[in-house]
Each structure stands twice: as structure tokens, then as C-alpha cells.
Amino acid sequence: MVELALDGVTKRYDDAQGTETAVSDFSLTVEDELLVLLGPSGCGKTTTLRMIAGLETVTDGAIRIDGRDVTGLAPSDRSIAMVFQDYGLYTMMSVRENMAYGLKHSTDLSAAEREARVEEMAEMFDIAGLLDRSVTDLSGGQKQRVSLGRAMVREPDVFLLDEPLASLDAKLRSEMRTELQRLQSELDITTVYVTHDQKEAMTMADRIAVLDDGVLQQAGPPDRVYADP
Ligand code: ADP
Ligand code: ADP
């Protein structure tokens, strides 16, 4: 049971052109569910995820995990894993090394425990046969499986996905959707999933939060968000 809470989260960028408010007074609680953050390009989805991950500072408001304020913490001090559209794998490393890298900050684990976690996640994502391959030899779908495995090997409290299927072709995308849904129901994890694709949101989400121009418009189950007015 993990609760992620955004409390009045605001992000302003200041540059030569002036001030841009990317996210404005965003409050929402996510708990043991897959929440889809949906909205058009530029509405503040990625900025929101990056603030949750600690990759971007918060201008105003707070982010809490199980009541603990993580707003000022470094990414490695938050129990969060993030997966990106373009995989973000280390091309000089094997699949096994990429996955083990996810455990770099888990200094309490022995080498044998690390190895066991990597193999368990490789089984879960169906890449056990690829562990000693170079990631550059893999297909797009295989790369995204490695990237999911690397994220999950940390056993994060919160799982963040930024358009994770956008680089895949339609067939793979539909396969991976099914896999992610299975994972979500098996692990019962707290997940925030960003997409601009309404169809994807409808099939994946326990709840959908609709963002427009940095402002939360509504949040609810897919059938309520898209019910006829
Ligand atoms: P989305 O992920 O929904 O496409 P973003 O979170 O990437 O939206 O961007 C939200 C807004 O913030 C956009 O107007 C974008 O131009 C602006 N923005 C994002 N990153 C920066 C930055 N580093 N500096 C200035 N403005 C930015
Ligand atoms: P280091 O401690 O050497 O900086 P990290 O693994 O902490 O290595 O981070 C490497 C880079 O990966 C960071 O600069 C950050 O951009 C990104 N990063 C770190 N933690 C996360 C995370 N939980 N989710 C997404 N990206 C992350």
C-alpha cells in the first residue's frame, strides 16, 4: 500500500522570454492504482512526472509518499522508478548490467541478492534468454522490456511511465499494454502513466486525470471521465 500525494504542486519556468507556468496548483492522490495523466502536448504531463521523480524542482506545493515529504529529496533518495519512451538504456552494457544498474543505490543487498532480483525480473518481462546480450542488438520491444525490468528491479514504491509505448509499432504496443496491465494487477503498485493517447488511457487506466494547460480539469474512472455530458 503506497500513497502518492501531490499537494498544490506548481512549476514555473523563468527564462529570457518571461515566465511559463507549466503546472499550476495540481493536487491529486494516487494509491495502489494505475493513474493515467492525459492531455495534449505541452499541457505539463512530463514536467509533473519529472517533479515526482525529483528530476525537476517544484516551484510551489509538496509531493508526499505515504505522508513523507519528498519534495526536496534527490531522485536516488525517493523510492521511485521511471521509464521513458526512448528506453534510456546504457548501450555499452549488457542486458544484465543494465538491469543490475537499477540496484546501484541498494547498498544493503548482497551480490547474490542482486543477481536473484535481476533474474526474477528478467523472467517476469520475458527477457531471461537475453541477459548476456548487448542492448544494442535488441528490438524495440525487447529494449522496452529491459527498461521496464531495470525500473522494477528496484521494487519502487511509485512507478512512473512517460509515453512508454510510443516508440513501438501497433502490434507490440497492444502486446505491451496487456503485459503492463498484468504487471499492474500482480504487483498492485502505485503507477502514474503519461500519454496523449485517449484510447490508450481508456484501456490502461484505473483512473484518468485530464490536464490542460497545466491545470487539472477532472479525475475519475475512464467511463466517468468520458461519459456523455
Ligand atoms: P507535456 O509533457 O504535456 O507535453 P511538458 O511538461 O513537457 O508538457 O511541458 C509543459 C510546458 O512547460 C510547455 O509549455 C513547455 O514548453 C514548458 N517547458 C517544459 N520544459 C521547459 C523548460 N525546461 N524550460 C521552459 N519551459 C519548459
Ligand atoms: P548518480 O548517482 O551517478 O547521479 P543516478 O542513478 O542517481 O546516478 O542518476 C543518473 C541519472 O539518472 C540522473 O542524473 C537522473 O537524471 C536519472 N535518474 C536518477 N534516478 C532516476 C529515477 N528514479 N527515475 C528516472 N531517472 C532517474
Side-chain angles (χ1 to χ4, degrees), residues 55 75-76 80-82 84 101 104-105 154:
L55 302 174
S76 54
I80 286 176
M82 187 158 164
F84 306 90
Y101 192 86
K104 167 166 105 86
H105 294 292
R154 302 157 67 120

PDB file of all heavy atoms in Angstrom, residues 55 75-76 80-82 84 101 104-105 154, ligand 2:
ATOM      1  N   LEU A  55      13.551  14.888 -10.697  1.00  0.00           N
ATOM      2  CA  LEU A  55      14.434  15.316 -11.779  1.00  0.00           C
ATOM      3  C   LEU A  55      14.231  16.793 -12.090  1.00  0.00           C
ATOM      4  O   LEU A  55      14.957  17.373 -12.878  1.00  0.00           O
ATOM      5  CB  LEU A  55      14.180  14.476 -13.038  1.00  0.00           C
ATOM      6  CG  LEU A  55      14.361  12.968 -12.860  1.00  0.00           C
ATOM      7  CD1 LEU A  55      13.934  12.212 -14.114  1.00  0.00           C
ATOM      8  CD2 LEU A  55      15.806  12.642 -12.503  1.00  0.00           C
ATOM      9  N   PRO A  75      16.664  12.228  -6.581  1.00  0.00           N
ATOM     10  CA  PRO A  75      15.983  11.067  -7.175  1.00  0.00           C
ATOM     11  C   PRO A  75      16.347   9.752  -6.489  1.00  0.00           C
ATOM     12  O   PRO A  75      15.467   8.916  -6.246  1.00  0.00           O
ATOM     13  CB  PRO A  75      16.492  11.070  -8.625  1.00  0.00           C
ATOM     14  CG  PRO A  75      16.829  12.484  -8.904  1.00  0.00           C
ATOM     15  CD  PRO A  75      17.311  13.076  -7.605  1.00  0.00           C
ATOM     16  N   SER A  76      17.613   9.598  -6.156  1.00  0.00           N
ATOM     17  CA  SER A  76      18.044   8.317  -5.591  1.00  0.00           C
ATOM     18  C   SER A  76      17.557   8.117  -4.156  1.00  0.00           C
ATOM     19  O   SER A  76      17.616   7.014  -3.626  1.00  0.00           O
ATOM     20  CB  SER A  76      19.561   8.201  -5.657  1.00  0.00           C
ATOM     21  OG  SER A  76      20.143   9.324  -5.050  1.00  0.00           O
ATOM     22  N   ILE A  80      11.345   5.565  -6.246  1.00  0.00           N
ATOM     23  CA  ILE A  80      10.603   5.817  -7.479  1.00  0.00           C
ATOM     24  C   ILE A  80      11.404   5.287  -8.652  1.00  0.00           C
ATOM     25  O   ILE A  80      12.626   5.404  -8.654  1.00  0.00           O
ATOM     26  CB  ILE A  80      10.369   7.337  -7.633  1.00  0.00           C
ATOM     27  CG1 ILE A  80       9.297   7.787  -6.645  1.00  0.00           C
ATOM     28  CG2 ILE A  80       9.998   7.708  -9.063  1.00  0.00           C
ATOM     29  CD1 ILE A  80       9.040   9.261  -6.615  1.00  0.00           C
ATOM     30  N   ALA A  81      10.734   4.690  -9.618  1.00  0.00           N
ATOM     31  CA  ALA A  81      11.416   4.306 -10.851  1.00  0.00           C
ATOM     32  C   ALA A  81      10.649   4.878 -12.023  1.00  0.00           C
ATOM     33  O   ALA A  81       9.424   4.975 -11.987  1.00  0.00           O
ATOM     34  CB  ALA A  81      11.503   2.799 -10.978  1.00  0.00           C
ATOM     35  N   MET A  82      11.395   5.266 -13.053  1.00  0.00           N
ATOM     36  CA  MET A  82      10.762   5.921 -14.195  1.00  0.00           C
ATOM     37  C   MET A  82      11.196   5.255 -15.491  1.00  0.00           C
ATOM     38  O   MET A  82      12.352   4.889 -15.644  1.00  0.00           O
ATOM     39  CB  MET A  82      11.156   7.396 -14.180  1.00  0.00           C
ATOM     40  CG  MET A  82      10.443   8.240 -15.205  1.00  0.00           C
ATOM     41  SD  MET A  82      10.458   9.980 -14.710  1.00  0.00           S
ATOM     42  CE  MET A  82      10.012  10.765 -16.249  1.00  0.00           C
ATOM     43  N   PHE A  84      11.053   5.686 -19.770  1.00  0.00           N
ATOM     44  CA  PHE A  84      10.891   6.713 -20.793  1.00  0.00           C
ATOM     45  C   PHE A  84      10.556   6.096 -22.150  1.00  0.00           C
ATOM     46  O   PHE A  84      10.859   4.932 -22.403  1.00  0.00           O
ATOM     47  CB  PHE A  84      12.198   7.506 -20.931  1.00  0.00           C
ATOM     48  CG  PHE A  84      12.693   8.082 -19.639  1.00  0.00           C
ATOM     49  CD1 PHE A  84      13.565   7.355 -18.825  1.00  0.00           C
ATOM     50  CD2 PHE A  84      12.292   9.332 -19.212  1.00  0.00           C
ATOM     51  CE1 PHE A  84      14.028   7.877 -17.624  1.00  0.00           C
ATOM     52  CE2 PHE A  84      12.748   9.861 -18.015  1.00  0.00           C
ATOM     53  CZ  PHE A  84      13.616   9.138 -17.230  1.00  0.00           C
ATOM     54  N   TYR A 101      22.099  -2.192 -12.831  1.00  0.00           N
ATOM     55  CA  TYR A 101      22.352  -0.771 -12.577  1.00  0.00           C
ATOM     56  C   TYR A 101      21.203  -0.152 -11.784  1.00  0.00           C
ATOM     57  O   TYR A 101      21.411   0.751 -10.979  1.00  0.00           O
ATOM     58  CB  TYR A 101      22.534  -0.028 -13.905  1.00  0.00           C
ATOM     59  CG  TYR A 101      23.081   1.358 -13.719  1.00  0.00           C
ATOM     60  CD1 TYR A 101      24.449   1.581 -13.630  1.00  0.00           C
ATOM     61  CD2 TYR A 101      22.222   2.450 -13.608  1.00  0.00           C
ATOM     62  CE1 TYR A 101      24.948   2.851 -13.424  1.00  0.00           C
ATOM     63  CE2 TYR A 101      22.713   3.719 -13.408  1.00  0.00           C
ATOM     64  CZ  TYR A 101      24.078   3.919 -13.315  1.00  0.00           C
ATOM     65  OH  TYR A 101      24.569   5.175 -13.106  1.00  0.00           O
ATOM     66  N   LYS A 104      21.942  -0.026  -8.128  1.00  0.00           N
ATOM     67  CA  LYS A 104      23.178   0.623  -7.725  1.00  0.00           C
ATOM     68  C   LYS A 104      23.083   1.291  -6.343  1.00  0.00           C
ATOM     69  O   LYS A 104      24.047   1.293  -5.581  1.00  0.00           O
ATOM     70  CB  LYS A 104      23.474   1.630  -8.820  1.00  0.00           C
ATOM     71  CG  LYS A 104      24.490   2.652  -8.582  1.00  0.00           C
ATOM     72  CD  LYS A 104      24.826   3.274  -9.929  1.00  0.00           C
ATOM     73  CE  LYS A 104      24.208   4.637 -10.051  1.00  0.00           C
ATOM     74  NZ  LYS A 104      25.043   5.684  -9.477  1.00  0.00           N
ATOM     75  N   HIS A 105      21.915   1.850  -6.036  1.00  0.00           N
ATOM     76  CA  HIS A 105      21.781   2.544  -4.755  1.00  0.00           C
ATOM     77  C   HIS A 105      21.327   1.612  -3.627  1.00  0.00           C
ATOM     78  O   HIS A 105      21.177   2.041  -2.498  1.00  0.00           O
ATOM     79  CB  HIS A 105      20.805   3.713  -4.873  1.00  0.00           C
ATOM     80  CG  HIS A 105      21.317   4.800  -5.768  1.00  0.00           C
ATOM     81  ND1 HIS A 105      22.399   5.590  -5.428  1.00  0.00           N
ATOM     82  CD2 HIS A 105      20.936   5.200  -7.001  1.00  0.00           C
ATOM     83  CE1 HIS A 105      22.648   6.445  -6.409  1.00  0.00           C
ATOM     84  NE2 HIS A 105      21.770   6.233  -7.377  1.00  0.00           N
ATOM     85  N   ARG A 154      14.177  -2.396  -8.782  1.00  0.00           N
ATOM     86  CA  ARG A 154      14.358  -1.610  -7.550  1.00  0.00           C
ATOM     87  C   ARG A 154      13.213  -1.800  -6.572  1.00  0.00           C
ATOM     88  O   ARG A 154      13.244  -1.249  -5.486  1.00  0.00           O
ATOM     89  CB  ARG A 154      14.407  -0.110  -7.901  1.00  0.00           C
ATOM     90  CG  ARG A 154      15.483   0.264  -8.861  1.00  0.00           C
ATOM     91  CD  ARG A 154      15.143   1.570  -9.580  1.00  0.00           C
ATOM     92  NE  ARG A 154      15.127   2.725  -8.694  1.00  0.00           N
ATOM     93  CZ  ARG A 154      15.918   3.764  -8.845  1.00  0.00           C
ATOM     94  NH1 ARG A 154      16.802   3.795  -9.817  1.00  0.00           N
ATOM     95  NH2 ARG A 154      15.831   4.779  -8.033  1.00  0.00           N
TER      96      ARG A 154
HETATM   97  P1  ADP B   2      24.234   9.176  -9.964  1.00  0.00           P
HETATM   98  O1  ADP B   2      24.064   8.869  -8.510  1.00  0.00           O
HETATM   99  O2  ADP B   2      25.564   8.753 -10.526  1.00  0.00           O
HETATM  100  O3  ADP B   2      23.842  10.544 -10.352  1.00  0.00           O
HETATM  101  P2  ADP B   2      21.690   8.060 -10.603  1.00  0.00           P
HETATM  102  O4  ADP B   2      21.355   6.657 -10.971  1.00  0.00           O
HETATM  103  O5  ADP B   2      21.223   8.570  -9.304  1.00  0.00           O
HETATM  104  O6  ADP B   2      23.280   8.177 -10.726  1.00  0.00           O
HETATM  105  O7  ADP B   2      21.188   9.039 -11.701  1.00  0.00           O
HETATM  106  C1  ADP B   2      21.691   9.064 -13.005  1.00  0.00           C
HETATM  107  C2  ADP B   2      20.716   9.917 -13.806  1.00  0.00           C
HETATM  108  O8  ADP B   2      19.540   9.137 -13.985  1.00  0.00           O
HETATM  109  C3  ADP B   2      20.299  11.169 -13.044  1.00  0.00           C
HETATM  110  O9  ADP B   2      21.033  12.299 -13.486  1.00  0.00           O
HETATM  111  C4  ADP B   2      18.858  11.322 -13.363  1.00  0.00           C
HETATM  112  O10 ADP B   2      18.667  12.174 -14.475  1.00  0.00           O
HETATM  113  C5  ADP B   2      18.402   9.923 -13.743  1.00  0.00           C
HETATM  114  N1  ADP B   2      17.634   9.291 -12.663  1.00  0.00           N
HETATM  115  C6  ADP B   2      18.035   9.006 -11.408  1.00  0.00           C
HETATM  116  N2  ADP B   2      17.059   8.440 -10.703  1.00  0.00           N
HETATM  117  C7  ADP B   2      16.013   8.339 -11.529  1.00  0.00           C
HETATM  118  C8  ADP B   2      14.698   7.835 -11.414  1.00  0.00           C
HETATM  119  N3  ADP B   2      14.223   7.335 -10.266  1.00  0.00           N
HETATM  120  N4  ADP B   2      13.902   7.879 -12.478  1.00  0.00           N
HETATM  121  C9  ADP B   2      14.345   8.416 -13.614  1.00  0.00           C
HETATM  122  N5  ADP B   2      15.570   8.896 -13.799  1.00  0.00           N
HETATM  123  C10 ADP B   2      16.390   8.873 -12.783  1.00  0.00           C
END
